[in-house]
């Protein structure tokens, strides 16, 4: 009989348990699989994913060939560009080959969860209830006789004579042959993932890449657009500067918040943003051509109001009005009377809206943790530790962070599948 302990009943832990039990079953190996969960219930973070709707993976990089079992490498290469670094992509490649985004869809459909795919490739349960995904995972665990122990935080792991002794907060020590650490990162700690995995892994000899919040909005100094909080702007160009050096340029939808900015273009690049950076938005989509557009439109529409001119040139109404208000330009004045100086001011505000970053994300509100257990010490083909045989890792506890759009859950599912299967070998 092989005994496997899985730490954490999040998506990575639950799918690891299913994978281990299914692999043991198909090889006719007798296995005892126990999941230890710190919270009174499994999957607390999973329940709040995608605002409770659970964006479980992404199919936007699919090839035209959608027959079951096909997964072209070109698609995978594109899929991998949605993760934090080239090293992460290299590490994840085998796990994604072994369990693709298409496999995730097939897996949940097989468990009886109807799914739906949005135009942008994001996949959700058709009910848009994250609870349906969690229930399916838990039910499959029960069907496979996996034991899920809740209110059972693991506080210590010791490795002696090829066995692991696990100590939970209150109950006696239990001994296992294999363990999978799937306790998540350290952001949104109220959900249970509060960085325990780093301490447990460090004590077992693993290195930790310094964890920091990722996938987060930013707050800025002297926020002049806070009165527009809640407004989303489509396909905005963003540039990030540090000490006069351009750090990155990106485009995407942006959300104005009370304290700063959020939305995909900010959130997906937040791992690169540091306090004190200068963030610059081009609301016009036109860059250096915008001044010419303004001048031409002002000439053609001499009788229009300046506020109307700015909107006509592509700036959303409330943003246009606020920009004029901040720069003390009378929007009700006729275009025929606009000065060259004011045209330049409007151009500058619309194409290079600047702010200094006050805070680039907090642990309490960032969706994922960048950093974690160093993937250099993990075999990418099995998720097994290179330091201690029989020790496996899965999910966000690893130094892996994806963009929004289902990429983080897919990483949890793919690494969990691989860890579970290999733990019972
Ligand atoms: C608000 C929000 C929305 C999100 N939306 C999406 C989305 O739509 N799509 C997407 O792909 N990703 C999304 N994410 C990210 C995604 O939720 C995580 O990447 C994913 O849950 C990681 O899975 P995991 O199993 O590795 O860790 P977790 O889900 O964090 O699970 C770890 C589990 O381990 C338990 N645990 C911790 N310490 C111990 C211990 N010492 N002993 C025992 N158990 C322990 C925790 O209680 C927890 O249940 C979102 C995150 C947040 C915060």
């Amino acid at each position: 009989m092989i005994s496997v302990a899985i730490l954490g009943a999040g998506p990575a832990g639950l799918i690891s348990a299913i994978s281990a039990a299914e692999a043991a079953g198909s090889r006719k190996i007798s296995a005892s699989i126990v999941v230890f969960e710190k919270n009174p219930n499994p999957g607390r973070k999973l329940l709040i994913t995608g605002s409770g709707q659970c964006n479980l993976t992404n199919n936007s990089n699919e090839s035209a060939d959608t027959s079951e079992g096909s997964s072209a490498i070109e698609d995978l290469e594109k899929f991998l560009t949605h993760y934090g670094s080239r090293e992460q992509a290299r590490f994840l490649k085998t796990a994604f080959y072994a369990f693709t985004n298409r496999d995730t869809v097939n897996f949940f459909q097989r468990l009886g969860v109807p799914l739906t795919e949005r135009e942008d490739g994001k996949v959700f349960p058709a009910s848009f209830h994250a609870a349906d995904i969690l229930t399916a995972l838990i039910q499959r665990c029960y069907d496979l006789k996996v034991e899920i122990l809740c209110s059972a935080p693991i506080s210590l792991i010791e490795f002696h004579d090829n066995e692991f002794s696990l100590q939970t907060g209150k109950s006696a020590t239990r001994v296992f042959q294999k363990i999978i650490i799937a306790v998540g990162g350290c952001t949104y700690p109220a959900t249970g993932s509060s960085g325990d995995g780093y301490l447990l892994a460090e004590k077992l000899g693993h290195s930790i890449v310094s964890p920091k919040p990722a996938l987060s909005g930013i707050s800025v100094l002297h926020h002049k657009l806070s009165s527009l909080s809640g407004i989303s702007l489509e396909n905005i160009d963003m540039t990030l500067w540090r000490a006069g050096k351009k750090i990155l340029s990106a485009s995407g939808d942006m959300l104005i918040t009370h304290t700063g900015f959020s939305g995909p273009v900010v959130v997906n690049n937040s791992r690169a943003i540091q306090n004190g950076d200068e963030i610059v938005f081009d609301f016009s989509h036109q860059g250096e051509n915008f001044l010419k557009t303004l001048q031409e439109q002002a000439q053609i529409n001499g009788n229009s109001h300046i506020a109307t001119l700015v909107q006509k040139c592509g700036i959303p109404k409330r943003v246009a009005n606020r920009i004029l208000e901040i720069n003390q330009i009378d929007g009700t004045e006729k275009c025929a009377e606009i000065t060259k100086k004011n045209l330049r001011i409007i151009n500058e505000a619309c194409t290079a809206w600047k702010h200094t970053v006050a805070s680039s994300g907090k642990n309490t509100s960032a969706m994922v943790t960048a950093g974690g257990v160093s993937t250099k010490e993990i075999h990418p083909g099995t998720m097994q530790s290179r330091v201690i045989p029989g020790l496996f890792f899965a999910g966000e506890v690893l130094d892996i962070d994806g963009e929004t759009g289902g990429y983080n859950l897919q990483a949890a599912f793919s690494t969990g599948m691989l860890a579970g299967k290999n733990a019972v070998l």
Side-chain angles (χ1 to χ4, degrees), residues 102-120:
R102 205 171 296 158
D103 291 327
T104 298
V105 168
N106 293 336
F107 173 82
F108 282 103
Q109 284 177 338
R110 246 192 346 261
L111 295 189
V113 187
L115 302 178
T116 185
E117 185 183 327
R118 283 193 349 195
E119 248 176 42
D120 57 5

Side-chain angles (χ1 to χ4, degrees), residues 146-160:
V146 169
E147 201 182 340
I148 302 178
L149 299 176
C150 290
S151 302
I154 299 298
S155 51
L156 184 69
I157 305 169
E158 284 176 323
F159 182 65
H160 294 299

Side-chain angles (χ1 to χ4, degrees), residues 6-14 36-39 41-46 48-57 124 149 152-155 182-185 187-189 191-197 200 215 364-369 394-398 400 403-413 415:
I6 293 155
L7 280 54
L14 292 172
F36 291 87
E37 168 54 47
K38 182 188 200 171
N39 285 330
N41 304 100
R44 196 174 273 182
K45 189 175 274 182
L46 182 58
I48 58 164
T49 54
S51 306
Q53 299 186 336
C54 187
N55 172 202
L56 62 151
T57 189
F124 294 85
L149 299 176
I154 299 298
S155 51
V183 294
T187 45
Y188 255 76
T191 60
S193 26
S194 50
D196 298 9
L200 295 170
L215 294 193
T364 45
S365 57
M367 279 193 265
V368 298
T369 310
E396 208 183 302
V397 69
L398 289 162
I400 291 170
E403 292 178 0
T404 57
Y407 296 100
N408 288 294
L409 284 175
Q410 182 61 50
F413 294 139
T415 55

Side-chain angles (χ1 to χ4, degrees), residues 203-261:
K203 281 206 172 127
L204 291 167
H206 274 271
S207 323
I208 308 299
V209 175
S210 186
K212 60 174 191 167
L215 294 193
S216 162
I218 55 161
S219 58
V220 295
L221 297 178
H222 314 297
H223 187 22
K224 293 185 187 142
L225 298 181
S226 60
S227 59
L228 305 186
S229 106
I231 290 189
S232 283
L233 305 174
E234 277 177 25
N235 203 20
I236 297 299
D237 297 324
M238 177 184 100
T239 321
L240 187 72
W241 297 83
R242 188 171 306 146
K245 197 174 153 212
K246 194 199 269 187
I247 303 295
L248 65 84
S249 301
S251 302
D253 297 348
M254 184 261 263
L255 172 73
I256 301 172
T257 66
H258 267 301
T259 55
F261 302 94

